[in-house]
Every structure is written in structure tokens, then in C-alpha cells.
Amino acid sequence: MAIILGDHQYGKAENRVVRIYRDAKRHEIRDLNVSTALRGPFDPAYLSGDQTNVLPTDTQKNTAFAFAKSKGVESIEDFGLDLARHFVHDVAPVEGARIEVEEYAWERAVVDGVEHDHTWLRKGQEIRTAAVTVDATGEHVIGGFKNLVLLKSTGSEFAGFLSDEYTTLQETHDRVMATSLVAQWRFTSVEVDWEKIYAGIKQIMVREFATLQSLALQQTLWHMGRSVLEAYPFVAEVRLKAPNKHHFAVDLSPFELENPGEVFIAADRPYGLIEATVLRDDAPDAGDAWRISAGLA
Amino acid sequence: MAIILGDHQYGKAENRVVRIYRDAKRHEIRDLNVSTALRGPFDPAYLSGDQTNVLPTDTQKNTAFAFAKSKGVESIEDFGLDLARHFVHDVAPVEGARIEVEEYAWERAVVDGVEHDHTWLRKGQEIRTAAVTVDATGEHVIGGFKNLVLLKSTGSEFAGFLSDEYTTLQETHDRVMATSLVAQWRFTSVEVDWEKIYAGIKQIMVREFATLQSLALQQTLWHMGRSVLEAYPFVAEVRLKAPNKHHFAVDLSPFELENPGEVFIAADRPYGLIEATVLRDDAPDAGDAWRISAGLA
Amino acid sequence: MAIILGDHQYGKAENRVVRIYRDAKRHEIRDLNVSTALRGPFDPAYLSGDQTNVLPTDTQKNTAFAFAKSKGVESIEDFGLDLARHFVHDVAPVEGARIEVEEYAWERAVVDGVEHDHTWLRKGQEIRTAAVTVDATGEHVIGGFKNLVLLKSTGSEFAGFLSDEYTTLQETHDRVMATSLVAQWRFTSVEVDWEKIYAGIKQIMVREFATLQSLALQQTLWHMGRSVLEAYPFVAEVRLKAPNKHHFAVDLSPFELENPGEVFIAADRPYGLIEATVLRDDAPDAGDAWRISAGLA
Amino acid sequence: MAIILGDHQYGKAENRVVRIYRDAKRHEIRDLNVSTALRGPFDPAYLSGDQTNVLPTDTQKNTAFAFAKSKGVESIEDFGLDLARHFVHDVAPVEGARIEVEEYAWERAVVDGVEHDHTWLRKGQEIRTAAVTVDATGEHVIGGFKNLVLLKSTGSEFAGFLSDEYTTLQETHDRVMATSLVAQWRFTSVEVDWEKIYAGIKQIMVREFATLQSLALQQTLWHMGRSVLEAYPFVAEVRLKAPNKHHFAVDLSPFELENPGEVFIAADRPYGLIEATVLRDDAPDAGDAWRISAGLA
């Protein structure tokens, strides 16, 4: 009955890499938060403090910034692949690498009706994410986003549910439904037009949220995931995490006012939390694709 | 030499009021965070615990939600005026009221190229603010926004500065300039097309940020404030608070890479912080217009 | 090639349950954040919006508050077990339950040198956590904490590491080491003196952090985990996640000052991130013990 | 009717200065967040971009770190005075300086019952603050803290309040009262035993919160402020800001459970917000003592 070292990994989290393209008069910007983690025979560092195999996290940081120049940032999925392949293929002891990237979107300032060449406003909507894993079993890319806040003011119901002695909730056939959606989708290819597919997936999810007469947030998630899989054969699996951000209709009757779905209090906590995975029944093995490091993507 | 009670106020902060308009098929949404504070002869509550004059903060909350129905939310400036006037005019002991409102913008979901009737995405950009003060001296409205994150990738310099024995900074004639702007403007009228003027002021500030060849963030602020005052005679004063969100060019020379303004690290702390008030020399007295309560607007 | 529903769960997250014991003159307080999630045959809710099997998240909330009264909060591990067993055993369709609890510690106010009977200051140090899973395979309890911020001003080295073309870091044999530790430990019993063991485990980890001459944060984590397993035979596994909160010695030489490890800048981002699992080689199967829901514990 | 530049200031905010004393085997630690701001004839920087008088914020940062070595950190009030005096007296154009400091407390790790020489746990309770202003009118020091979270489970009432048509609140003679207190006190001397007085003021405030049978949070604040002024003749004024962190008793009657003040839900928003200034009627003029810069102290 020995005590042993189990899973381990280490890296540099939250490198705030900003890449400006200024070759033309019209500049471009990519604004990233890059976390790297390495996996491999680092047991001696734990067991005896021997760093022989340990590439410093400081070096990982340097590599992220150097690659922003030498490889560029065409898309965060490719940027993650570039970094992960480098660590696994070029740094001898490294057996696996996990790269998690957040991307913050900017939109061009509009001055006198014209988009400006080198000024932007942070868009502030959803944060795009990518999680890339490269190891002996292959290459895995997960795209995604988080903090996409959606709200519909009608077209949502909740009724016919199970009841027990702790149930006080009333049924409703018209409520506000709102969430701050976290979505991740696993690709089965690395030859993807990442920018185009990202926009397409977001569009599908927004469409399903808007158009489905929702009998539960669960049902909405299923429709979101299924529609993405139907549209993109190279996506094997979609994972969704959706807080039900409650908007409670305020009882205005003490003030002799009616409130037919017009005035709500947006509650902070507690919130419902609905999770689902939608996948193909022949989805290839995910390997370590879903093993997080910093957990930011 | 007595110990006395000085300034005091009390209220209910951060009422998360969401108002849906559903009279037509195309719904509308206004999403607010409302803080109220009352001023007046509440000394007995402090000195002896006598609540005779104290309208509960719970009642202030109820009023905010009831007014969202009975008065509606045409603009946050008017909503604040409605609430403040009510407290001062209708609740006997109250002498002054301060209403601070944050507004979160939403944009319509687009489905198959068409704006959806009742689904939105939280826009996520700047937070619009209003601070309304009503008391015996009159009515004061301050509009504003915060968290407007702006970045320009060129057109910014910093040189010719004062140097002492602790100075190590190098001059630069081409740097990234970024800020998360907080702006507030004081109106001298309450008869204003609030929605239109808000859009106009934001547009002017973005334009000045973008187009001025900036010799310092200070200079940019001055141009922003002055341009707003030039455009709108009923704005007396503009207050600006701008963190200089440093983007440091990364030294890639150890890796035999050049970095002509292409790769930056976005730093968290410390940050520069530049503040300025721009005003008319004949600006009317501000009274308590700038006396904050919750401090959220 | 069908599209199917994979793993799913749903619940109510972040119920802020505060339990006061006031049977004696000396009151007691337990301050919790409780998240519940249910697992089972809820597919119809996703696939067709049929809620027949769905116990509302609102009911889960009610249950958490009712149990705070009827079962009490002797320890968060037991509180989680009470809730999880109830959902699995008493609510017909439920097959598995996951309860995650955060606990915030309070310390008694001291007035004139005496502990006060009914007044506390929030302690503000680490947040204690418990994650309980009950399903057909049995009962799993994970204890833990997060946000335990530790710092040592000497007794930490980092040298002898791997170097490549992106390495610029210098070796050091005396540095500040600081982290905000996240630790979780899996019990193999539910008959545990939870309060006593929690205190014991925290003490051991603090001791190891303090006394080991650390050659790397990795080594410190290993010693922490191993020592806990050596002390408590009913703990099978310890998982540790430790951000390396960098404190960089400031170069004061331009100001003709020496800085022998006295003045540091505490950096925000990026940070190193070191993770490790330490376990017994005969640890029983963990089942779904590590499958998170809200992810707060 | 000209447009003019009004109040302005600029500086470097949130320098995370950590000072270790390692002269003896038993090290000491001071952990600060330092913000500096300068006031003076900086108009040309705004009006024309002329930086001749502008000491860079980067230089201010360097000075803060250099002073941590050369002056040391005996107390944050003195550290702030050292910095402010330097900027005003040693840097020609500077006319006024505002230094705001936050301090994070650490407590020594205890290993085998003995305090460790060089390892600490972040205490995590209140954040101590100091705000120092030096200008032509003199030197002003404000001490304080924030985030001191206090709760009493009985000894708090709220009744006899004003009622109008929006009032639905019930009177109570036994409720939980909790706050996250922000307190600031203005000294009339700079010859103060800062460490001792800080501890004394905190103790007084905790005592008043605990022992007063509170008829309203307002009354509690008055007692806190008055007691501090009675104890320390060199304190002229105390400012208090106290969110009423509501703990609502949960209605358990649907579950056939009584709840005599035992189970509460801790609400996030909205919250009451009570503010008061308590001062001597002969308090000397405050000058710019209360004019904030970063606003962190």
C-alpha cells in the first residue's frame, strides 16, 4: 500500500497576449489570454525536486509571446495547435500539451460613419475559447465560448414537473428565460475554417434559443447541440452549461398595479444550472481532450 | 467641543429592475440597476434609534419596481427624475433624493438575417449611467458611462516629460494607448432628448480618442470633454477618469525576433490613472449634483 | 450515425444558507453556499420538453433550506450527505445526486477580552469545501478548501531546470514562494470526525509548506499530499492545484539601492499553475466522485 | 463663455508593493497596494500635450518601490506621508500629492504550536487603508478599513418607521444584522502611534456593533463613530458606509417546520446602504483630505 504520484501537469496561466497587425494602413488586433500546460515525466520534480525535465513556466510564457510574432494569430485554434505541437515535438521530455485560449473581441470605432483604421472598442459580448490538446494519441481541438448572455421575454414555459413535499413552485406558460451560456464543441478535424465555423455555430445557437417554444432550458440546450451537429459533420460533440438566470415577476398588487410580464427583478443567486452533452453515437474517442488545466477554456 | 452628526443619507442600492414592453409583437427591454438614497431630518434614527421619519429602504425598493410599471422607463435620466421627485415631493420628511442608475444594453438576436421580436444578446460594452439629485436647490441630472474600453494601436506618443532620479522610462513616439473610460456630464436642463444625446456624446468621445494624435492621455481627455461641451450647450461640465491600461511591447530580441509594435503584454496592475474636469467658466452651481451615494453612477 | 444525448445533470446552484443555533445564550453560526445537482432519467426533458421526472430546481432550493432546520448543519460533509441521500432515496426517478458546499468561517467578536455570544467577524481566510456524490455505486465524500493564501519569504529555490531557445529565466536559490492553494481530499469512509480532520489536514499542509526547503512548488505539493495520506488512512487521494503567485524582486539598482530579497512586486498575471494528484496505489474506485456540477467544490 | 480645464490629477494606481524584513531570523512582511496622484500646474499636458511638468506615472511607481527599501514600511500612514512629502517638496512643479494605500494582513503560520519565522497565511479579514494628502494647506492623514464583515444573530430591531402606499415591510424586534463596514477617520496629528490606534479603533467599532441593542443600523453607526471620537482626541471625524447585508428568515411553514430565527438566506442585491459622518463641532478644516484619486482608500 504505497503512496504514489497520480496525474500531474504544470504550466503558465493567463498570458495576456495582444497581437497587432500593422502591415497595412488598416491595422488588425487579436487580444488573447493564453494558458499553457505540459504533461510528461515530471515525477522527479515532485518526488525529489529534480527539475531536469522541467521547462520553466517562464519559458512557456516567452514561447507564447514569441509565437504571436513568428507564427501569428490567424485563429486561436491554430495558435493553440502551433504552441502545443511545439512543446510536444520540440521539447524532448514533453509528452502532452494543453493550451487554453480566451479571446476578447474588438469592433472598429466608427468615426463620421467610417470604420477607423487603428482604433477599436472592446466588444464586450461573449468570450471565445479554444482548448487544444496534443499528445501521443493525436490532436484534439475544442472550440467554444462563454458569457454569451441571452434573454427572451416570452416563448418559454415550465410545467408538468415532478412534485414532492418540498415543492411550492407554480407552473408557468409564459416566463422570461435568460442564461449566460457556456458552450464547447469538439472537432474531429484540424483542417477547419475556424473563423467561419465559429460564427456559424454561434448563429445556430442564438437561432435555436430564439425560435424554439421552450418547455424547459433542457430542451433548448438539446436543440442547440443537435443543430450544431447537424450542420457541421466535423463536430463530434457539444457540451453546454447554462445557468438559468432567474427573472422573477414582481408582485405589484399591493400597489394596485397589474404586472402581466412587464416588471422583473433579475436575481443573482441561487440560479438553476442545466448541463448537457450532445454527441454523435460514433464520436471518436476524446482522449484527454476534456482534461482541463487552467480551466478557462 | 461636542460630537455631532454630520452628513448622512440612506437608501436601497442595486435594485435590478428589468422592464419589458410587450404591447406590440416586437418587445422592448430596459435592464437597470437602480440605487436610491434619501437625505433629510433623519438625525433621530442615528442619535436615538427613532425611525419616525425613516421610509424603509424596502419601501424605496418597492417604489422603484412599481414606478417601472406606472411611469415606465423611457430613459434612465427620466426614470431617475420620476423617483427623486416622488421621494422629495410626496414623502413628507424627505428633503433630498439621489438616484443612481446603471443600464445594461442589449441588442436584438438576428435570426436568418432578421432581428428577432423578443430575443436579445447582452451587448456587453459600456455601462450607461445616470445620477439624479433633487432637493431644495433644484434638479440635477448627470449622464455618463463607464467601462468603455478603447484602444488605438498607433497615434499615441509620450515624450518630453519631467525627469528625476527615479525616472527610467524611455520616450516613445508610437505606442498602444488603451483605457476603460469613465465619463460623466452634467446637464443644465431636464428637457433633453436623453437617448439621442447619449449616443451623440459617446460618438464624439470615440471620435476624439481615435483621431487626435495624442501626446498624452491628458490631452485626449481634454479634447473629449471640450468637444462635448462645444456640441451641446445644455451640458455644463464633463468629468473624465481614464486608467491608462498599459500594453507593453515584449522584448523578443532574445529569440532573434523583431517586435516593431506588434506583440504586447496587456498589464493588469499598476496602471496610470488620469482625471480631468472640463467645464464652462459660467457653469451654474452644481449643488449636490456630484455627491454620490452608492457610487455606481 | 445518430445524434444522442450524453451526460446531463441539472440543479440549483449557490443557495446561500445561513444557519444560526440559538438554543443557548451563546449562539453558533454556519454560513454555507450550497449547490445541488440531480442525475437520472431526465432525457425526456431534453428531447421533448417532458418534465414528468424533473424535480424543479426551486424544490431543490427549498429542500436545502428546510434541511438546514430539520437536519441541521453539524458539518458540511454530513449536510451534503443528508441532502444527497434524500434526493436519491426519497425522490423516485433520481439516480444520483451531487452536492457541493462552500463554507465561510466566522470568528467571534472579542469585547473587552471576552468572546461575544452572538456577534462574529467573517474570518476571511480559506473557504472550506465539500463535494458529496451519492448514486448506485455508493457514497463519495470529498473534503477540501480553496483560497488558502500562503507565502514564505525564504526557503524556496528553483534551479537546474530544462533550458531551450526560449529560456531566459535565471536560477535562484532564495525566492519568495506564494500560492492560493486549492486542495481536495477523497474519503473512503463516511464515519469521520469531519471538523477535527479538516483542522488536521489544513495544519499538515501549512506545516509542509512552511518547513520544506522547497526546490519547486511541485515538490511542496507532493509533500503536502503524502503527509496527509500518511496521517489519515481513510483518505485515499489528495488533489492539489497551486497557482505560483509570483513575487518579483524589484531592480532598485538604477536608484543606487540594493535589494537583497526585501522589496517585491506582487504580480497578477500570468502565474505559474502546478497541479498534482497524490494517492494510494490501492485507492478504491472513485466512481463519479470527481464529476463536478457547479464546480464550486 | 469659455471652456476651461477644472480639477485634474494624475498618478499610478495599484502598485503592489511587498516589503519583507529579513534582518533577523524572524522575518516580517508588509503587503501593500499603493496608489499615488499628483496635483499642480499640469494644464499644458491637457491643453497642448506639453509634458514639461509631468513626472511620469512610471517614475511614481519606481519611487514607491524605492521608498519601500529606503524609508521602509513602519506603518502605511507614515509610508504615505513619506511619499507625499517627497513629491511635493522634492519635485519642483508638484503642488499636492495624494497617496492611497491598502494593506493586506498576514498571520504567521503555526507549526507544531509555534509561530513560524518566515511563513504566513493571508489573514483575509478587513483591508486596512490610509489616504494621505500633502499640499500647501498642510498634511492630512485618514486611516480606515473596508470589508470588515460583521454579523450579529440577535440584538437588532427595526420598527416604528414611516409608512406610505409603497410600504409592505413588517416590523421586527429580533433580526440578523450584518454589514461589510467601510470606515475612515481623519487625524488632526501626524504624530500618532498608527499601529496601536488602528487596533484600538477597530476594537471600539466591533464592541459597539456587538453590544448596542440596535434600533437601526443608523444608530449603530452613530455609536461607533462617537465612541471613536471620545477615545481619541486627535481624531476629528469618522465617516462610515455600511451596506445592510440582508439575511432573510426563510418561510419554512409550507414544510411544516418552524423557523424562529434559525435559517436565513443571505441575499446579494439589493442591499440597504447607510452612511454617516460623525465629527467634532470644532473639527479643523479638512482641506482636500477627502478628495479621492484612485478611490481605493
Side-chain angles (χ1 to χ4, degrees), chain A residues 137-185:
Chain A
T137 73
E139 300 184 330
H140 302 283
V141 177
I142 293 171
F145 56 69
K146 57 186 176 184
N147 298 4
L148 182 70
V149 183
L150 295 163
L151 182 148
K152 61 193 301 183
S153 53
T154 189
S156 167
E157 315 182 27
F158 191 58
F161 44 75
L162 186 65
S163 205
D164 72 3
E165 71 268 36
Y166 296 106
T167 302
T168 56
L169 188 71
Q170 300 300 305
E171 298 197 339
T172 176
H173 293 282
D174 189 7
R175 61 172 183 172
V176 164
M177 186 164 79
T179 190
S180 175
L181 187 63
V182 182
Q184 291 187 291
W185 45 88

Side-chain angles (χ1 to χ4, degrees), chain A residues 246-261:
Chain A
H246 303 305
H247 286 65
F248 296 115
V250 179
D251 177 11
L252 300 177
S253 61
F255 322 121
E256 290 172 21
L257 292 169
E258 296 192 338
N259 185 11

Side-chain angles (χ1 to χ4, degrees), chain B residues 190-231:
Chain B
V190 296
E191 302 298 327
V192 172
D193 183 341
W194 308 110
E195 302 304 296
K196 184 178 156 196
I197 300 309
Y198 179 79
I201 289 176
K202 180 182 165 190
Q203 202 167 51
I204 287 169
M205 292 201 184
V206 170
R207 183 194 70 205
E208 293 301 307
F209 183 88
T211 58
L212 179 73
Q213 174 72 18
S214 176
L215 300 178
L217 188 44
Q218 282 88 329
Q219 190 195 20
T220 296
L221 296 188
W222 164 254
H223 278 259
M224 284 178 167
R226 192 181 63 179
S227 298
V228 169
L229 292 175
E230 286 170 348

Side-chain angles (χ1 to χ4, degrees), chain C residues 16 18-20 22 27 69 107 118-122 125 149 151-153 174 258 261-262 264 266, chain D residues 16 18 20 22 27 69 107 118-122 124-125 149 151-153 174 258 261-262 264 266:
Chain C
R16 287 286 288 105
V18 176
R19 178 64 159 97
I20 303 290
R22 45 196 300 162
H27 293 189
K69 168 64 180 171
E107 63 182 27
H118 59 256
T119 305
W120 297 267
L121 287 69
R122 178 126 163 209
Q125 216 159 70
V149 183
L151 181 147
K152 61 193 300 185
S153 54
D174 190 6
E258 295 192 340
E262 293 177 316
F264 298 86
Chain D
R16 289 286 288 106
V18 177
I20 303 289
R22 47 196 299 163
H27 293 190
K69 169 64 179 172
E107 62 182 27
H118 59 258
T119 305
W120 298 266
L121 287 69
R122 179 128 161 205
Q125 216 158 72
V149 183
L151 182 148
K152 61 193 301 184
S153 53
D174 190 7
E258 296 192 338
E262 294 177 315
F264 297 87

Side-chain angles (χ1 to χ4, degrees), chain C residues 16-20 22-23 27 29 62 65-66 68-70 106-107 109-112 116 118-125 148-154 174 202 206-207 209-211 247 250 252 255 257-258 260-266, chain D residues 16-20 22-23 27 29 62 65-66 68-70 106-107 109-112 116 118-125 148-154 174 202 206-207 209-211 247 250 252 255 257-258 260-266:
Chain C
R16 287 286 288 105
V17 177
V18 176
R19 178 64 159 97
I20 303 290
R22 45 196 300 162
D23 314 292
H27 293 189
I29 185 171
N62 288 345
F65 284 100
K69 168 64 180 171
S70 61
W106 294 81
E107 63 182 27
V110 175
V111 176
D112 297 333
H116 198 265
H118 59 256
T119 305
W120 297 267
L121 287 69
R122 178 126 163 209
K123 200 159 161 46
Q125 216 159 70
L148 182 70
V149 183
L150 297 162
L151 181 147
K152 61 193 300 185
S153 54
T154 188
D174 190 6
K202 180 181 164 188
V206 169
R207 184 193 70 207
F209 183 87
T211 58
H247 286 66
V250 178
L252 301 177
F255 323 121
L257 292 168
E258 295 192 340
E262 293 177 316
V263 179
F264 298 86
I265 181 166
Chain D
R16 289 286 288 106
V17 177
V18 177
R19 178 63 159 96
I20 303 289
R22 47 196 299 163
D23 314 292
H27 293 190
I29 184 172
N62 288 345
F65 284 99
K69 169 64 179 172
S70 61
W106 293 81
E107 62 182 27
V110 174
V111 176
D112 299 332
H116 199 264
H118 59 258
T119 305
W120 298 266
L121 287 69
R122 179 128 161 205
K123 199 159 162 44
Q125 216 158 72
L148 182 70
V149 183
L150 296 162
L151 182 148
K152 61 193 301 184
S153 53
T154 189
D174 190 7
K202 179 181 165 188
V206 169
R207 183 193 70 207
F209 183 87
T211 57
H247 286 66
V250 179
L252 301 177
F255 322 123
L257 292 168
E258 296 192 338
E262 294 177 315
V263 178
F264 297 87
I265 182 166

Side-chain angles (χ1 to χ4, degrees), chain C residues 109-167:
Chain C
V110 175
V111 176
D112 297 333
V114 181
E115 289 192 343
H116 198 265
D117 278 340
H118 59 256
T119 305
W120 297 267
L121 287 69
R122 178 126 163 209
K123 200 159 161 46
Q125 216 159 70
E126 88 276 4
I127 295 171
R128 180 174 168 182
T129 61
V132 174
T133 307
V134 171
D135 57 23
T137 72
E139 299 184 331
H140 302 283
V141 177
I142 293 170
F145 58 68
K146 56 186 176 183
N147 298 3
L148 182 70
V149 183
L150 297 162
L151 181 147
K152 61 193 300 185
S153 54
T154 188
S156 167
E157 316 182 25
F158 191 59
F161 44 76
L162 185 65
S163 206
D164 71 3
E165 71 266 38
Y166 296 105
T167 302

Side-chain angles (χ1 to χ4, degrees), chain A residues 106 119-122, chain B residues 102 124-129 143-151 177-185 198 200-210 216-226 228 238-245 271-278 296-297, chain D residues 46:
Chain A
W106 294 80
T119 305
W120 297 266
L121 286 70
R122 177 125 163 212
Chain B
E102 294 185 323
Q125 217 158 70
E126 89 276 3
I127 295 173
R128 180 173 167 182
T129 62
F145 57 68
K146 56 185 176 183
N147 298 3
L148 182 71
V149 183
L150 296 162
L151 182 147
M177 185 164 78
T179 190
S180 175
L181 187 63
V182 182
Q184 291 187 290
W185 44 89
Y198 179 79
I201 289 176
K202 180 182 165 190
Q203 202 167 51
I204 287 169
M205 292 201 184
V206 170
R207 183 194 70 205
E208 293 301 307
F209 183 88
L217 188 44
Q218 282 88 329
Q219 190 195 20
T220 296
L221 296 188
W222 164 254
H223 278 259
M224 284 178 167
R226 192 181 63 179
V228 169
V238 178
R239 294 194 177 181
L240 297 156
K241 193 162 193 165
N244 191 342
K245 295 171 72 77
Y271 49 89
L273 185 58
I274 316 298
E275 296 173 72
T277 295
V278 183
L296 295 170
Chain D
Y46 291 87

Side-chain angles (χ1 to χ4, degrees), chain A residues 61-108:
Chain A
K61 176 194 72 174
N62 288 345
T63 310
F65 284 99
F67 271 43
K69 168 65 180 172
S70 61
K71 302 280 184 175
V73 183
E74 292 298 309
S75 75
I76 56 174
E77 291 85 353
D78 277 335
F79 186 69
L81 279 165
D82 284 338
L83 277 171
R85 286 166 180 162
H86 163 71
F87 289 125
V88 173
H89 301 152
D90 302 344
V91 183
V94 177
E95 293 172 352
R98 165 84 172 183
I99 315 296
E100 297 179 353
V101 186
E102 295 185 322
E103 179 170 20
Y104 314 116
W106 294 80
E107 62 181 29
R108 283 187 189 274

